[in-house]
Amino acid sequence: MKKLLLIAFMMTAAVLVLAACGGNKSDNTNTGAGTGVEETGTAASAKVTIKAKRYEFDKPVYTIKKGESTEITLKSEDGVHGIEISDLNGLKIDSDKPTVVTINDPGEYEFHCDIMCGSGHSKMIAKLVVE
Ligand SMILES: [Cu+2]
């Protein structure tokens, strides 16, 4: 019986942890217009690959052109990582799911890993520069 209680407790704790992460993410969904990003289907005229591993992206800065449809692919080289660009309506790019975007507003958009991947997770930050 004691064992059963312990398992129930651990499951509750896990659910709480997941709920906390989910809560963070929802802050950035549908934050309104004016950020100049559209997801534009599958046809892209440019491609960029971002590689992620614990606890860094392979480059500090990735540059794309404004107004050009660009396919962004995230490759996780260990574990599971994701990308969230808060300043682009919370745009998310999942591993191995190439995402085509057209960004019309030039600027520097910081992004971070949005999947809790370990102790250095919060250091996983890089920039998307649109010029
Ligand atoms: Cu992470």
Side-chain angles (χ1 to χ4, degrees):
M1 194 58 193
K2 246 183 187 168
K3 223 175 203 171
L4 210 70
L5 268 175
L6 188 66
I7 290 169
F9 172 77
M10 280 170 20
M11 280 170 70
T12 307
V15 167
L16 284 175
V17 167
L18 286 173
C21 286
N24 271 342
K25 285 179 185 175
S26 65
D27 286 344
N28 290 312
T29 50
N30 299 324
T31 43
T35 48
V37 59
E38 325 159 24
E39 289 190 44
T40 47
T42 50
S45 31
K47 289 186 181 191
V48 63
T49 299
I50 300 173
K51 291 180 190 164
K53 63 178 186 192
R54 296 188 181 93
Y55 293 104
E56 59 185 10
F57 295 102
D58 66 330
K59 291 200 258 176
V61 174
Y62 302 84
T63 304
I64 67 172
K65 291 195 182 124
K66 69 166 175 164
E68 181 174 64
S69 60
T70 305
E71 182 182 271
I72 304 176
T73 304
L74 174 67
K75 291 261 171 226
S76 293
E77 302 197 318
D78 61 7
V80 183
H81 304 283
I83 284 176
E84 178 174 347
I85 310 179
S86 303
D87 292 336
L88 291 176
N89 268 354
L91 175 70
K92 284 179 200 283
I93 296 161
D94 297 330
S95 285
D96 299 315
K97 279 194 197 155
T99 303
V100 178
V101 297
T102 301
I103 301 170
N104 296 313
D105 294 343
E108 293 188 3
Y109 302 95
E110 192 177 89
F111 62 84
H112 59 270
C113 176
D114 72 338
I115 294 173
M116 181 57 203
C117 53
S119 61
H121 167 69
S122 61
K123 286 186 242 159
M124 291 189 67
I125 293 171
K127 251 183 222 169
L128 183 70
V129 172
V130 181
E131 58 181 23

